[in-house]
């Protein structure tokens, strides 16, 4: 019961952040900006939604195939269709409850492919670490190709943050975190040493073994080249979604790949702030476009609406297909 209450409160907090950002975004708009927002969306080239939809689905398929490559070293060989359906269902859940989708897609795939969920969670955590590494590479590449433009923007943001926190030195925060980590580590070791046979400790050890196997799966990859190529392909498709999306509005149609890299670099963080990036994604995109002297919030809302719509529709269809195809397969085997 306590876990459910915590999960609900967590969801409400993140959703509240998204709603606040949405309200803040519209409340600070001047009458002229509201007219601009309405006119931009009324005259947008919605035909570009077709290639964006195709590219988005292709990126989800590639991500599912990459996940399958990570699972195979553990001795399991899930079908590509089930892996894709589970991935889409996970994205659907993440739109409403942050990180819930990771558990859901592991649970669904584990149920239909008979794979321990804790091992699948290990692969998801490994996948997230690798994606974070790829994200940092995107940021570094963005800065390198637009050193004069983007570096000044990042420098200004860092100065703003450092000035706000000038009264609380960074080393004090680092010291406090280090002490907390040491205390937690000592406490956990003491528990494991004094209660090794307790049922909860045994359960945690089982989870730890599964997570460890999931983590080390990336070291035992048999298709490393395919894994790397899928990763490059996924992030390239993300970039192309933004670049093609620029063509939907007159205000952004003149922007190139450099600007698309900038939007990808900053806007990705928006999905961490609020469920599905609601409110946060348009704000982040607007901040990036200001670097290129474009004061227009319509593009951010348009891209967020399209990507969220694809995930919601795709997630619902995938959930139905996951149940139907596996039920049909079980009946055929019987």
């Amino acid at each position: 019961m306590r876990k459910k209450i915590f999960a609900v409160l967590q969801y409400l907090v993140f959703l509240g952040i998204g709603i606040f950002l949405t309200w803040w975004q519209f409340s600070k708009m001047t009458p002229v900006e509201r007219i601009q927002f309405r006119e931009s969306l009324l005259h947008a080239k919605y035909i570009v939604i077709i290639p964006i939809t195709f590219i988005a689905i292709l990126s989800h398929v590639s991500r599912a195939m990459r996940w399958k490559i990570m699972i195979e070293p553990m001795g399991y060989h899930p079908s590509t269709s089930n892996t894709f359906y589970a991935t889409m269902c996970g994205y659907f859940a993440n739109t409403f409850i942050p990180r819930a989708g990771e558990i859901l897609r592991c649970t669904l795939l584990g149920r239909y492919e008979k794979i321990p969920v804790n091992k699948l969670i290990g692969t998801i955590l490994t996948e997230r670490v690798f994606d974070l590494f790829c994200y940092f590479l995107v940021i570094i590449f963005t800065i390198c190709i637009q050193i004069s433009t983007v570096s000044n923007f990042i420098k200004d943001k860092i100065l703003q943050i450092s000035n706000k926190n000038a009264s609380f030195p960074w080393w004090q925060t680092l010291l406090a975190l280090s002490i907390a980590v040491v205390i937690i580590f000592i406490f956990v070791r003491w528990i494991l040493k004094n209660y090794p046979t307790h049922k909860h400790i045994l359960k945690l050890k089982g989870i730890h073994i599964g997570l460890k196997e999931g983590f080390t799966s990336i070291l035992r990859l048999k298709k490393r080249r395919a894994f790397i190529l899928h990763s490059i392909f996924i992030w390239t498709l993300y970039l192309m979604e933004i670049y093609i999306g620029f063509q939907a509005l007159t205000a952004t149609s003149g922007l190139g790949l450099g600007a698309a890299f900038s939007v990808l670099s900053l806007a990705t963080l928006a999905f961490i702030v609020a469920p599905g990036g609601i409110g946060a994604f348009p704000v982040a995109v607007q901040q990036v476009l200001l670097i290129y002297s474009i004061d227009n919030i319509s593009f951010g809302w348009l891209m967020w609406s399209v990507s969220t719509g694809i995930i919601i529709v795709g997630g619902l269809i995938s959930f139905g297909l996951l149940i139907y195809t596996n039920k049909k397969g079980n009946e055929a085997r019987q």
Side-chain angles (χ1 to χ4, degrees):
M1 184 65 182
R2 187 178 297 176
K3 289 182 178 179
K4 289 183 178 179
I5 294 174
F6 178 76
V8 171
L9 288 175
Q10 185 185 38
Y11 168 68
L12 292 175
V13 168
F14 280 97
L15 182 62
I17 292 173
I19 293 173
F20 169 75
L21 288 172
T22 303
W23 168 83
W24 176 75
Q25 182 81 6
F26 284 103
S27 66
K28 72 184 187 72
M29 288 172 62
T30 64
V32 174
E33 289 174 332
R34 286 175 182 161
I35 294 172
Q36 177 202 51
F37 177 74
R38 184 173 64 251
E39 291 296 315
S40 295
L41 295 182
L42 282 173
H43 298 94
K45 299 176 183 176
Y46 289 102
I47 191 69
V48 300
I49 293 177
I50 296 175
I52 289 175
T53 301
F54 175 77
I55 291 171
I57 293 174
L58 199 58
S59 70
H60 299 326
V61 171
S62 183
R63 182 171 287 277
M65 293 176 70
R66 191 183 70 170
W67 188 26
K68 182 181 176 181
I69 291 172
M70 294 182 66
I71 297 170
E72 288 176 347
M74 297 188 294
Y76 303 98
H77 300 277
S79 67
T80 302
S81 58
N82 277 346
T83 310
F84 172 71
Y85 296 150
T87 299
M88 291 303 297
C89 290
Y91 280 142
F92 175 82
N94 275 341
T95 302
F96 303 98
I97 307 175
R99 308 280 73 85
E102 318 302 354
I103 303 298
L104 178 63
R105 69 162 160 157
C106 291
T107 303
L108 289 174
L109 191 64
R111 176 184 176 184
Y112 290 109
E113 294 288 348
K114 312 302 179 186
I115 305 174
V117 175
N118 56 344
K119 293 185 179 182
L120 291 175
I121 292 175
T123 62
I124 293 297
L125 293 174
T126 306
E127 182 186 54
R128 286 288 169 263
V129 171
F130 189 79
D131 277 335
L132 186 62
F133 172 74
C134 292
Y135 177 53
F136 281 131
L137 289 180
V138 169
I139 293 175
I140 293 170
F141 185 74
T142 302
I143 294 173
C144 289
I145 63 174
Q146 300 183 100
I147 188 71
S148 60
T149 305
V150 180
S151 60
N152 290 333
F153 172 77
I154 295 175
K155 191 185 298 182
D156 290 340
K157 293 298 178 183
I158 293 174
L159 286 174
Q160 289 177 14
I161 295 171
S162 61
N163 289 334
K164 288 180 180 178
N165 298 304
S167 59
F168 194 73
W170 64 270
W171 64 266
Q172 292 185 11
T173 304
L174 183 62
L175 179 62
L177 288 173
S178 301
I179 293 173
V181 169
V182 171
I183 292 173
I184 292 172
F185 178 75
I186 293 173
F187 178 72
V188 170
R189 285 200 62 180
W190 181 83
I191 291 290
L192 293 174
K193 183 178 179 180
N194 290 275
Y195 302 96
T197 58
H198 193 278
K199 62 178 182 179
H200 293 305
I201 298 299
L202 292 174
K203 186 177 180 180
L204 285 174
K205 286 182 178 179
I207 294 173
H208 173 263
I209 293 172
L211 291 174
K212 184 178 179 181
E213 187 172 352
F215 265 118
T216 56
S217 65
I218 198 169
L219 301 176
R220 296 179 278 120
L221 289 177
K222 296 179 181 179
K223 302 175 182 177
R224 293 186 181 182
R225 182 178 296 178
F227 179 85
I228 294 172
L229 288 175
H230 273 296
S231 300
I232 296 172
F233 187 59
I234 290 166
W235 284 91
T236 301
L237 291 176
Y238 290 163
L239 180 70
M240 293 311 298
E241 283 184 58
I242 296 170
Y243 177 69
I244 294 174
F246 282 156
Q247 314 311 313
L249 301 179
T250 304
T252 56
S253 60
L255 296 175
L257 283 174
F261 266 107
S262 298
V263 171
L264 180 62
S265 297
L266 185 59
T268 301
L269 295 174
F271 289 95
I272 302 173
V273 177
I278 181 174
F281 182 85
V283 171
V285 172
Q286 184 190 26
Q287 290 299 309
V288 176
L289 293 182
L290 287 174
I291 302 175
Y292 303 94
S293 303
I294 297 175
D295 189 6
N296 191 305
I297 67 168
S298 306
F299 177 74
W301 282 107
L302 178 64
M303 291 301 296
W304 176 82
S305 300
V306 171
S307 61
T308 303
I310 293 169
I311 288 172
I312 291 175
V313 174
L316 291 172
I317 293 174
S318 295
F319 187 70
L321 288 173
L322 185 65
I323 297 173
Y324 174 74
T325 54
N326 285 281
K327 183 179 179 181
K328 190 176 180 180
N330 291 333
E331 290 174 352
R333 284 190 289 270
Q334 293 174 0

